Amino acid sequence: MIIPFFYLTLFFWEYSIFDKKIDEDFKIRSHKKSFQYYDFIFAVCWTIFIFLGNSTIKYKALFFPILWAPLIVNLVISYLYKKRKPYTLFIKNFELIVINRWTHKRNISGLNKILFDRIYKQFELKFDKGHKIKIGLKEYKKEDINKLLEILIKTSNYSITIPNNYKELENNR
């Protein structure tokens, strides 16, 4: 009985992204959800560990659906992202709002550094207050990302620029 509730909790936690409405000055639609590879690695490793252990089949059968739940829910949500294309990135006044499992809000005027990771194809935005925010390039259209960068650079109180490794990537396309 606990397994269906676990799946439903994970599903509706992710699905809540589709229901969020935010008044905004600028918004970007997400076209796909990045696959979480660590969910797959976690599930495989623990599945091997549990099945090699000397517990009964009854306990092993209970752990299998629980361990694989995040991966299965992520696959379903990825399909829904492709179909519904929710808005997940907003700018309202001077505030950047990124909606994932958690909603992250940061003041853009405190943006002090933009980094680009070419391996994972994501931007890392560092702020004066709060943790950094990562924005995946694969999830959004190229022109939307470029418009976002332009707004971020204009609004920030710091002298920041587009990272050189992103410019090189853009020139090679």
Side-chain angles (χ1 to χ4, degrees):
M1 189 68 179
I2 193 169
I3 293 172
F5 288 120
F6 186 64
Y7 273 82
L8 287 173
T9 302
L10 287 175
F11 176 78
F12 284 114
W13 184 20
E14 291 275 353
Y15 189 78
S16 68
I17 293 167
F18 296 98
D19 297 331
K20 293 190 179 178
K21 304 287 185 238
I22 296 177
D23 295 328
E24 78 292 323
D25 302 327
F26 176 76
K27 61 184 174 181
I28 297 179
R29 188 180 295 273
S30 179
H31 291 275
K32 71 179 213 174
K33 181 164 176 60
S34 297
F35 184 71
Q36 304 295 333
Y37 292 105
Y38 60 86
D39 285 343
F40 179 72
I41 294 169
F42 177 81
V44 169
C45 290
W46 276 102
T47 301
I48 291 170
F49 179 73
I50 288 171
F51 278 97
L52 291 179
N54 53 355
S55 59
T56 64
I57 293 293
K58 178 181 172 183
Y59 291 116
K60 291 177 182 179
L62 175 68
F63 281 112
F64 183 75
I66 291 174
L67 289 173
W68 286 85
L71 182 68
I72 293 167
V73 169
N74 199 0
L75 290 173
V76 171
I77 292 295
S78 295
Y79 174 77
L80 290 174
Y81 261 70
K82 287 181 182 178
K83 291 294 181 190
R84 294 192 56 196
K85 296 178 177 44
Y87 288 102
T88 57
L89 203 143
F90 304 90
I91 294 180
K92 180 181 178 183
N93 298 329
F94 291 103
E95 189 172 51
L96 173 68
I97 303 166
V98 179
I99 300 175
N100 290 320
R101 287 181 180 159
W102 307 101
T103 300
H104 303 283
K105 296 180 181 181
R106 300 289 184 275
N107 187 342
I108 300 172
S109 59
L111 177 65
N112 57 27
K113 190 178 258 187
I114 300 176
L115 301 172
F116 180 67
D117 184 353
R118 288 183 76 166
I119 296 172
Y120 295 107
K121 303 276 192 270
Q122 64 186 9
F123 284 100
E124 185 176 297
L125 308 175
K126 294 188 176 186
F127 298 87
D128 288 341
K129 296 179 183 171
H131 296 286
K132 60 189 170 194
I133 291 181
K134 294 184 178 182
I135 298 174
L137 190 63
K138 297 176 186 175
E139 297 174 20
Y140 304 100
K141 286 185 176 179
K142 183 176 114 176
E143 37 300 328
D144 290 339
I145 291 291
N146 290 337
K147 179 68 176 162
L148 172 69
L149 289 173
E150 181 182 313
I151 293 170
L152 292 175
I153 290 170
K154 267 194 247 178
T155 311
S156 177
N157 291 339
Y158 294 92
S159 175
I160 56 175
T161 60
I162 296 174
N164 289 333
N165 57 352
Y166 177 69
K167 290 179 191 175
E168 292 169 7
L169 180 71
E170 286 296 302
N171 291 337
N172 291 335
R173 285 187 182 184

